[in-house]
Amino acid sequence: MEKIRMTIPLVEMDGDEMTHILWHIIKEKLILPFVDLKTEYYDLSLLNRNATEDRVTVEAGKAALKHGVAVKCATITPNKKRMEEYPQLTKMWPSPNATIRSIMGGTIFRTPISVDFVEPAVRSWQKPITIARHAFGDIYKASDFLTDEPGECELIFHGESGAEKRITVQKVKGKAVWMGQFNLDDSIRNFAKACFRYAVDTRQDLWFSAKDTISKIYDGHFRSVFEEEYEAYRQDFERLQIYYFYTLIDDAVARVMRSKGGFIWACKNYDGDVMSDMVSSAFSSIAMMTSVLVTPDGKYEFEAAHGTVTKHYYRYLRGEKTSTNPVATIFAWSGALRKRGELDGLTDLVSFANALERACRHTLNSGKMTGDLAAMAKEGMNVTVLNSEDFIEAISEKLKEDSESGFVL
Ligand code: NAP
Ligand code: MG
């Protein structure tokens, strides 16, 4: 079979530890035999970030903006313990994800990869629920303090024009806690745009929830911005017969629990922080969660939501075969290849990406899986626990079969 051609390169961001090991097995076994892979390669491993004084991360982020689609391996964010582990580090380099996000902007969408044999903890959920978290501002950039005497607190805004806005927050008779928080109209608007764009991209309904009955101006503004931005997407939504709707966060939580899934739930910063952990753990595990950063103007960075799986890496270094789940990393590759195919009009690349995901699901549904999933499989299922390499090999066998029909179903 002739390999599938690409025109524009994917921005490939390699990473650390166990995910770095899997990265290369995935490429060798699942992609290179079928695709004439074009990538612009950036080595974001901790030691290379150190050697380049983190310039490599900035360059990778800029390349993602230039080419429009990136795929990223998990990377170590150094902390005090890592500084001891890697004494050659000259600095506690920042999180690559934070650096890339500050260059690209955009919103992160996290989606569980559902498989038939793992029953979600919520019985009604038949399809994955994607959480979009507005990861900027509110209590995460708030200023707060404690006071311990009677008094009065005011909120004052000094405009550059000299204009001033001032309100009394509260008069108190004793000890009290206070907080001032903010968000930016631009940031909310970009969040809304990324959500509408991703809903159209993935043909799913979009829910947005906040608390505008109580927070009439603050959350009310979020709601209005979403309504305004929706106008630019209304026609697309109508054409695809997907729906946007706003509801109170309490109502959203109740509806989510009774829903069948299969939609995007856009959340304010704190709600998204809390709800994403609930939704992901109710579906299966962090090892089965994908993450994609989408900018308002349609640039994408795909990755697995989990980290570098350090404990498994140390077992691997001792020569043990580990049963580390590669599925989310494989889906980062399939997501990126599919998007490249869609943007460049390469239908066979899109078919390949779909076939790669089908091969993963087929292998899992046939009972071949890694240890983390075996623990979650339905009772009575005939499960074979494989190490990562054998599991990837099994997926590759299925792909080879599908390649005979040109990956078309
Ligand atoms: P982690 O790598 O996600 O692993 C935590 C635990 O979750 C593992 O020990 C393992 O449990 C389980 N697990 C996660 N992914 C798995 C997989 N694919 N297959 C099987 N089990 C899996 O999180 P961490 O240990 O907190 O962080 C390790 C490093 O990753 C840190 O240096 C952190 O900075 C980095 N990190 C990077 C990213 C990113 O680049 N996006 C995200 C998060 C963390 P068992 O040991 O019980 O098997
Ligand atoms: Mg959290």
Side-chain angles (χ1 to χ4, degrees):
M1 190 198 119
E2 226 184 288
K3 287 192 194 182
I4 295 164
R5 294 254 175 82
M6 293 178 64
T7 43
I8 299 176
L10 266 185
V11 176
E12 176 183 355
M13 306 177 181
D14 201 349
D16 290 299
E17 299 193 318
M18 202 60 219
T19 39
H20 164 76
I21 305 295
L22 295 177
W23 191 259
H24 291 276
I25 305 175
I26 292 168
K27 273 176 72 177
E28 185 206 335
K29 296 277 178 187
L30 301 179
I31 299 171
L32 292 173
F34 310 103
V35 180
D36 189 12
L37 185 68
K38 264 194 182 182
T39 72
E40 201 170 292
Y41 181 85
Y42 293 87
D43 176 6
L44 300 198
S45 65
L46 181 56
L47 291 180
N48 195 45
R49 276 178 274 147
N50 189 59
T52 60
E53 299 192 305
D54 213 21
R55 279 190 304 274
V56 67
T57 312
V58 175
E59 283 163 12
K62 288 184 177 162
L65 272 188
K66 178 178 164 206
H67 294 301
V69 187
V71 56
K72 181 180 170 288
C73 177
T75 45
I76 294 171
T77 297
N79 53 17
K80 253 173 95 182
K81 217 170 133 224
R82 295 291 195 175
M83 298 300 283
E84 287 159 18
E85 188 182 349
Y86 294 91
Q88 61 271 61
L89 294 186
T90 54
K91 224 174 124 178
M92 204 189 288
W93 301 106
S95 148
N97 286 45
T99 303
I100 292 164
R101 191 165 179 272
S102 75
I103 294 168
M104 292 181 72
T107 297
I108 291 169
F109 295 83
R110 283 188 156 201
T111 310
I113 301 162
S114 58
V115 279
D116 298 341
F117 62 87
V118 179
E119 279 176 0
V122 179
R123 264 174 294 144
S124 63
W125 290 355
Q126 294 167 9
K127 287 182 178 169
I129 295 168
T130 297
I131 296 260
R133 172 181 171 193
H134 180 220
F136 178 80
D138 304 348
I139 60 166
Y140 301 83
K141 270 196 184 291
S143 309
D144 49 0
F145 55 64
L146 177 73
T147 55
D148 56 7
E149 61 172 321
E152 180 178 320
C153 188
E154 280 187 314
L155 198 57
I156 310 167
F157 173 79
H158 302 283
E160 276 188 3
S161 68
E164 201 180 88
K165 233 177 175 170
R166 169 192 296 257
I167 53 168
T168 300
V169 177
Q170 195 63 255
K171 261 187 185 165
V172 293
K173 294 205 173 99
K175 203 169 173 176
V177 280
W178 310 88
M179 173 185 283
Q181 54 166 296
F182 77 102
N183 220 301
L184 300 175
D185 182 80
D186 253 358
S187 173
I188 304 168
R189 229 165 262 288
N190 284 339
F191 174 52
K193 283 182 190 154
C195 290
F196 289 123
R197 174 178 282 276
Y198 197 64
V200 169
D201 264 11
T202 59
R203 298 177 180 218
Q204 295 184 90
D205 292 348
L206 176 68
W207 301 15
F208 174 54
S209 55
K211 191 74 180 174
D212 67 319
T213 44
I214 301 298
S215 169
K216 290 190 170 63
I217 295 181
Y218 198 106
D219 281 20
H221 190 64
F222 276 78
R223 181 181 178 171
S224 314
V225 166
F226 265 74
E227 267 157 31
E228 285 160 30
E229 295 298 333
Y230 176 57
E231 287 314 312
Y233 297 86
R234 181 185 288 278
Q235 275 191 346
D236 285 336
F237 270 61
E238 285 172 1
R239 178 172 51 81
L240 296 171
Q241 293 188 303
I242 54 175
Y243 301 93
Y244 164 62
F245 91 102
Y246 169 83
T247 186
L248 274 182
I249 177 79
D250 344 24
D251 181 51
V253 169
R255 282 173 190 254
V256 163
M257 289 315 225
R258 284 185 269 105
S259 76
K260 293 191 170 140
F263 54 89
I264 299 165
W265 183 10
C267 293
K268 286 184 62 201
N269 207 351
Y270 173 80
D271 299 340
D273 185 352
V274 176
M275 292 305 160
S276 64
D277 285 349
M278 187 196 71
V279 170
S280 66
S281 57
F283 268 106
S284 62
S285 79
I286 184 77
M288 291 291 279
M289 179 74 81
T290 62
S291 172
V292 51
L293 177 69
V294 181
T295 71
D297 61 341
K299 318 270 170 163
Y300 300 79
E301 184 229 12
F302 292 84
E303 67 174 326
H306 61 77
T308 58
V309 212
T310 311
K311 281 190 209 148
H312 294 214
Y313 180 59
Y314 279 94
R315 294 212 289 271
Y316 166 87
L317 289 182
R318 287 197 299 270
E320 284 175 42
K321 295 233 181 222
T322 72
S323 187
T324 315
N325 189 339
V327 171
T329 304
I330 297 172
F331 272 60
W333 275 98
S334 59
L337 290 169
R338 182 189 300 109
K339 183 48 72 183
R340 199 65 276 168
E342 285 168 3
L343 292 174
D344 305 340
L346 305 171
T347 48
D348 45 356
L349 193 57
V350 174
S351 300
F352 171 76
N354 294 338
L356 178 53
E357 293 180 2
R358 268 201 316 275
C360 286
R361 289 209 156 86
H362 172 90
T363 307
L364 291 169
N365 287 330
S366 75
K368 294 176 186 161
M369 60 188 76
T370 47
D372 56 314
L373 286 176
M376 285 186 284
K378 274 183 194 163
E379 241 175 85
M381 189 179 179
N382 199 355
V383 169
T384 313
V385 175
L386 298 177
N387 65 50
S388 305
E389 249 173 285
D390 291 346
F391 176 61
I392 292 173
E393 188 59 50
I395 299 168
S396 144
E397 288 306 317
K398 176 65 184 150
L399 257 186
K400 278 183 205 152
E401 245 175 65
D402 282 7
S403 73
E404 280 157 27
S405 62
F407 299 116
V408 180
L409 258 187

